[in-house]
Amino acid sequence: MHERDQQCWKSVRHAVQVIEEALSRYGPQGMSLSFNGGKDCTVILHLYVAVLYKMMGSELNKQTDSQGPSASHHQQHCPIPSIYVTHKNPFGQVERFVDDEIERYNLDLLRIPGPMKEALGAYHTLKGDIKAIMVGTRRDDPHGGPLKPFTPTDPSWPPFMRVHPILDWTYHDIWTFLRAINVPYCGLYDLGYTSLGGRDDTFPNPQLRRLSIGPFFESAAVARSGQGNGMASIPEQSTGVECDEKRAELLEELNQVDKTLDRLEEAFLFGPAWKLAGGESERCGRAK
């Protein structure tokens, strides 16, 4: 196994230990998951569900027996308290993915508009039993450096314990895990997005821009124009009118090739997020 992959699975074991400790402190109904559809909180969601089954397996099996064989595998556990601090201008793909995960994993999720401080205040009012919130912050995120796995909010903020299971994970760890266990994630990551925010401050990462595929079509156009196999060449004996007509047809064909090229380049302009070579470029697709 590659050394970086070995490090990922060490990170997984540590994250599981943090989640287990959080559950022992607060219980499943005393802690919540901050879930906005991003890759980091998607990792935590799957780790958390796995830990729930590990720690509460016998009880869940009893519930399954009582509910019968038609019970959904992922909905055998109690609803998972969750909060989604929404953006003013969210991506439709993100919203649909969040809805899918609500259904798939039985999330008791509240959507609350940002900013973060005000949203947490509203959540504290609505969910007074919640004492801790699991957050997908990593050490290399903005303001992530001084954090610890269990870090309380600042005194001026609503009183929650912030739990950071993946604090010391790398960008590579995130994608190694998600791809290894083959779970759904937001489709924007396959279109070159590496860090998700709102539509007004998020765009595909320029580090993932593919090389132009134009030369292939330029070669095809040359062939079609008669400089290759003569498929669309103008007969030498053609009259002036015939030449003009042939040239017009040829120009129209080349114009269609250009349009096809534009569509293909738009569809395949950026590689997927997991191909980003270094995590230090992760936020190159964010305006702030």
Side-chain angles (χ1 to χ4, degrees):
M1 182 182 292
H2 194 283
E3 182 179 351
R4 291 176 70 185
D5 294 339
Q6 290 180 335
Q7 179 57 44
C8 172
W9 299 118
K10 290 180 181 178
S11 299
V12 169
R13 287 194 292 271
H14 180 261
V16 167
Q17 292 170 357
V18 172
I19 294 172
E20 288 176 342
E21 182 176 347
L23 280 170
S24 68
R25 290 190 190 187
Y26 307 106
Q29 296 307 305
M31 54 189 291
S32 180
L33 168 66
S34 177
F35 188 77
N36 62 3
K39 61 188 182 303
D40 301 315
C41 60
T42 299
V43 167
I44 295 179
L45 171 60
H46 290 94
L47 289 173
Y48 183 48
V49 171
V51 171
L52 282 176
Y53 276 94
K54 176 184 175 183
M55 297 183 68
M56 307 173 65
S58 59
E59 180 180 341
L60 292 172
N61 288 334
K62 292 178 181 177
Q63 292 179 10
T64 303
D65 294 339
S66 65
Q67 293 172 359
S70 62
S72 170
H73 176 70
H74 293 300
Q75 292 193 7
Q76 293 162 13
H77 56 73
C78 294
I80 297 175
S82 312
I83 175 175
Y84 173 15
V85 179
T86 60
H87 293 274
K88 293 181 179 178
N89 191 17
F91 286 94
Q93 295 95 323
V94 172
E95 296 300 298
R96 289 191 293 273
F97 176 68
V98 170
D99 288 338
D100 288 344
E101 298 303 273
I102 290 173
E103 178 67 22
R104 183 178 290 116
Y105 292 106
N106 199 18
L107 304 183
D108 176 19
L109 184 140
L110 289 182
R111 282 178 164 92
I112 304 178
M116 181 66 69
K117 186 175 182 179
E118 287 74 6
L120 289 179
Y123 191 63
H124 184 261
T125 300
L126 293 168
K127 297 286 186 177
D129 293 337
I130 299 296
K131 306 302 180 185
I133 299 178
M134 289 183 293
V135 183
T137 303
R138 291 185 281 117
R139 187 78 65 190
D140 51 5
D141 287 333
H143 313 296
L147 297 176
K148 298 178 180 180
F150 291 85
T151 304
T153 52
D154 294 337
S156 62
W157 281 58
F160 290 108
M161 178 64 73
R162 291 174 291 172
V163 182
H164 305 110
I166 61 170
L167 185 60
D168 291 309
W169 284 42
T170 65
Y171 182 85
H172 177 80
D173 291 337
I174 294 295
W175 284 110
T176 297
F177 178 81
L178 288 175
R179 298 184 71 224
I181 65 173
N182 192 29
V183 293
Y185 53 80
C186 181
L188 287 176
Y189 290 116
D190 286 334
L191 300 178
Y193 293 82
T194 55
S195 178
L196 299 183
R199 295 178 65 91
D200 51 351
D201 64 0
T202 307
F203 45 88
N205 194 316
Q207 298 293 323
L208 288 170
R209 187 180 181 92
R210 299 180 190 271
L211 295 176
S212 174
I213 58 176
F216 169 81
F217 283 96
E218 288 170 4
S219 299
V222 168
R224 290 175 65 83
S225 69
Q227 299 178 33
N229 58 18
M231 289 177 60
S233 60
I234 301 174
E236 293 182 2
Q237 302 302 320
S238 299
T239 64
V241 174
E242 290 175 336
C243 285
D244 289 342
E245 291 176 349
K246 290 289 185 180
R247 289 193 182 95
E249 291 176 3
L250 181 56
L251 288 173
E252 178 59 27
E253 288 183 9
L254 294 177
N255 184 47
Q256 293 302 318
V257 169
D258 288 339
K259 290 181 179 179
T260 300
L261 173 60
D262 289 341
R263 288 195 297 270
L264 286 172
E265 283 192 325
E266 183 178 347
F268 299 104
L269 200 55
F270 294 89
W274 57 267
K275 282 197 171 185
L276 189 67
E280 65 276 1
S281 303
E282 176 184 355
R283 293 184 65 85
C284 287
R286 296 289 293 273
K288 56 183 178 180

